[in-house]
């Protein structure tokens, strides 16, 4: 049985995508205010990546956590890209609204993983990283180079991260991806502990994960963390879905129907979305991002919300939730 890195007090964490200026140009002062709100709310699991804002998110977390008791929080970051500083004119176009002046390349070799971890420690100022996720080793990110990079990771990242875990340098490792296949491939080839499952499991879209992902991780004893459990804001009313502007066909009607049923039971779809993810035994934590402090308060409030049983029964009766999906008791 693998040790539990994330316990009941880490059920709600904070994802660092928004802190990295994914959707708007959050200033250093705004980021500090959000992180202060998160800390004061008792949230103690933080996830980021050097990819977010081209190292900006990591630096902001590090600046905030400076002086905090290192035993009080769990921190995860990611490997798979290496960054080098460049003139502003050479910064590649990305999703970030105000990134730092860096270029990057994908690299999943053992040496690259060691360098990436060392770079993250230097940027954050932390003395260790608890969980390391192998980031974006997935066809939606690397395209037809996926087999090449998967082979590179099998010979490099998978082995070196297991060694670092066994040496006690990190506590756990796994995949941090938007697709199911890379997690299944990793489980088949190595011994991960915990995987960050982004855009795979939400109240709006979860059928494939219920059928293929959850049975596989359960059998392997691997836990999951939910990234994009709100479909990157779509559940909250944003007109983007899983970080893209294209909304899947029929999703607007599905969201509207769920919102109407939620109103009938005097609840809301955001609270329900959080509880839906955490109802699955395989999920240890959900890590919504925040671009404003009030969103942090809303997430904490959602965690403690009481969702009527009839709400879940009606969603299942209407076929809005897959019949085999777990829902809260």
């Amino acid at each position: 049985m693998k040790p539990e890195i994330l316990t009941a007090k880490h059920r709600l964490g904070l994802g660092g995508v928004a802190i990295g200026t994914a959707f708007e140009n959050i200033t250093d002062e705004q980021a500090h205010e959000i992180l202060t709100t998160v800390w004061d709310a008792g949230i103690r699991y933080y996830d980021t990546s050097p990819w977010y804002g081209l190292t900006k998110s990591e630096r902001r977390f590090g600046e905030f956590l400076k002086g905090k008791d290192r035993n009080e929080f769990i921190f995860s970051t990611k490997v798979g890209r290496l960054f080098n500083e460049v003139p502003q004119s050479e910064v590649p176009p990305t999703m970030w609204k105000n990134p730092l002046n860096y270029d990057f390349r994908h690299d999943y070799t053992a040496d690259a993983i060691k360098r990436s971890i060392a770079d993250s420690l230097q940027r954050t100022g932390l003395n260790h990283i608890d969980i390391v996720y192998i980031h974006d080793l997935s066809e939606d990110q690397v395209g037809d180079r996926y087999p090449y990079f998967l082979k590179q990771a099998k010979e490099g990242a998978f082995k070196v991260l297991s060694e670092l875990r066994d040496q006690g340098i990190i506590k756990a490792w796994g995949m941090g991806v938007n697709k199911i296949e890379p997690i299944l491939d990793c489980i088949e080839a190595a011994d991960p502990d915990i995987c960050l499952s982004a855009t795979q499991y939400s109240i709006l879209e979860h059928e494939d994960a219920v059928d293929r992902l959850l049975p596989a991780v359960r059998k392997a004893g691997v836990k999951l963390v939910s990234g994009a459990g709100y479909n990157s804001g779509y559940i909250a009313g944003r007109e983007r879905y899983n970080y893209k502007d294209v909304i899947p066909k029929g999703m607007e009607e599905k969201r509207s129907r769920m919102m109407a049923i939620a109103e009938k039971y005097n609840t809301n779809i955001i609270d329900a979305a959080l509880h839906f993810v955490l109802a699955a035994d395989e999920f240890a934590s959900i890590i919504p991002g925040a671009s404003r402090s009030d969103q942090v308060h809303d997430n904490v409030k959602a965690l403690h919300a009481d969702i009527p049983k009839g709400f879940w029964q009606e969603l299942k009766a209407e076929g809005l939730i897959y019949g085999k999906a777990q829902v809260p008791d």
Side-chain angles (χ1 to χ4, degrees):
M1 189 73 178
K2 297 177 187 290
E4 283 195 10
I5 308 302
L6 299 176
T7 64
K9 68 180 180 180
H10 304 119
R11 298 276 280 167
L12 176 63
L14 176 74
V17 171
I19 294 289
T21 71
F23 309 117
E24 56 192 90
N25 181 21
I26 294 175
T27 65
D28 289 343
E29 292 74 21
Q30 289 170 318
H32 189 273
E33 180 186 336
I34 293 164
L35 291 170
T36 299
T37 303
V38 167
W39 184 270
D40 291 346
I43 295 170
R44 293 293 184 269
Y45 172 38
Y46 315 118
D47 173 74
T48 186
S49 167
W51 169 237
Y52 304 159
L54 305 187
T55 79
K56 180 175 277 191
S57 183
E58 273 195 340
R59 295 173 195 275
R60 286 175 163 176
F61 273 99
E63 181 63 29
F64 177 78
L65 293 169
K66 189 166 54 182
K68 298 284 194 289
D69 183 347
R70 186 62 185 87
N71 296 317
E72 267 204 50
F73 60 89
I74 296 292
F75 185 84
S76 61
T77 192
K78 304 180 181 76
V79 295
R81 291 181 179 92
L82 292 177
F83 295 81
N84 59 290
E85 197 167 1
V86 295
Q88 188 168 12
S89 61
E90 296 179 21
V91 176
T94 62
M95 64 184 285
W96 314 108
K97 303 303 183 187
N98 188 16
L100 296 180
N101 294 356
Y102 284 84
D103 198 354
F104 65 92
R105 73 175 193 272
H106 288 272
D107 194 329
Y108 299 93
T109 62
D111 286 345
I113 300 311
K114 291 176 184 177
R115 181 189 145 186
S116 184
I117 292 172
D119 288 350
S120 291
L121 289 171
Q122 187 274 326
R123 283 189 288 261
T124 60
L126 298 175
N127 58 15
H128 71 275
I129 294 164
D130 299 291
I131 304 170
V132 174
Y133 296 117
I134 299 172
H135 202 194
D136 287 344
L137 177 53
S138 180
E139 283 189 10
D140 66 311
Q141 297 294 326
V142 299
D144 59 9
R145 294 176 296 165
Y146 176 68
Y148 169 79
F149 282 126
L150 178 62
K151 182 175 184 291
Q152 198 177 72
K154 286 178 179 179
E155 297 170 355
F158 293 179
K159 290 181 179 179
V160 76
L161 289 172
S162 287
E163 290 169 4
L164 292 173
R165 179 195 59 204
D166 296 344
Q167 294 164 11
I169 296 172
I170 63 174
K171 292 181 181 177
W173 73 272
M175 303 294 280
V177 288
N178 299 334
K179 299 292 182 182
I180 291 173
E181 281 73 19
I183 295 177
L184 302 182
D185 288 342
C186 181
I187 288 172
E188 185 179 335
D191 61 342
D193 310 280
I194 187 165
C195 290
L196 200 163
S197 164
T199 74
Q200 300 161 23
Y201 193 84
S202 74
I203 195 170
L204 289 174
E205 189 175 7
H206 50 266
E207 294 82 356
D208 197 21
V210 168
D211 285 342
R212 295 197 298 136
L213 178 63
L214 302 194
V217 298
R218 190 184 313 124
K219 183 178 179 181
V222 172
K223 286 293 186 180
L224 296 173
V225 170
S226 170
Y230 298 160
N231 300 105
S232 71
Y234 187 71
I235 284 173
R238 301 284 199 306
E239 288 311 303
R240 61 172 181 257
Y241 189 87
N242 293 350
Y243 306 113
K244 297 177 181 177
D245 294 332
V246 178
I247 311 301
K249 185 178 179 181
M251 200 57 74
E252 186 174 349
E253 294 82 358
K254 189 174 187 179
R255 180 180 66 176
S256 296
R257 185 65 191 126
M258 283 188 175
M259 290 173 71
I261 294 171
E263 189 174 344
K264 175 181 171 182
Y265 287 93
N266 197 30
T267 187
N268 67 78
I269 194 174
I270 300 175
D271 293 1
L274 184 143
H275 283 267
F276 175 78
V277 170
L278 293 178
D281 295 334
E282 295 77 15
F283 280 92
S285 180
I286 186 170
I287 51 168
S291 53
R292 302 189 312 274
S293 291
D294 63 295
Q295 292 172 337
V296 177
H297 294 303
D298 289 345
N299 290 332
V300 173
K301 183 181 175 184
L303 183 67
H304 299 290
D306 184 22
I307 313 292
K309 189 174 182 180
F311 169 76
W312 302 111
Q313 291 172 335
E314 189 159 339
L315 288 190
K316 284 210 169 187
E318 290 209 13
L320 293 167
I321 285 181
Y322 190 28
K324 294 195 287 184
Q326 281 186 273
V327 295
D329 294 332

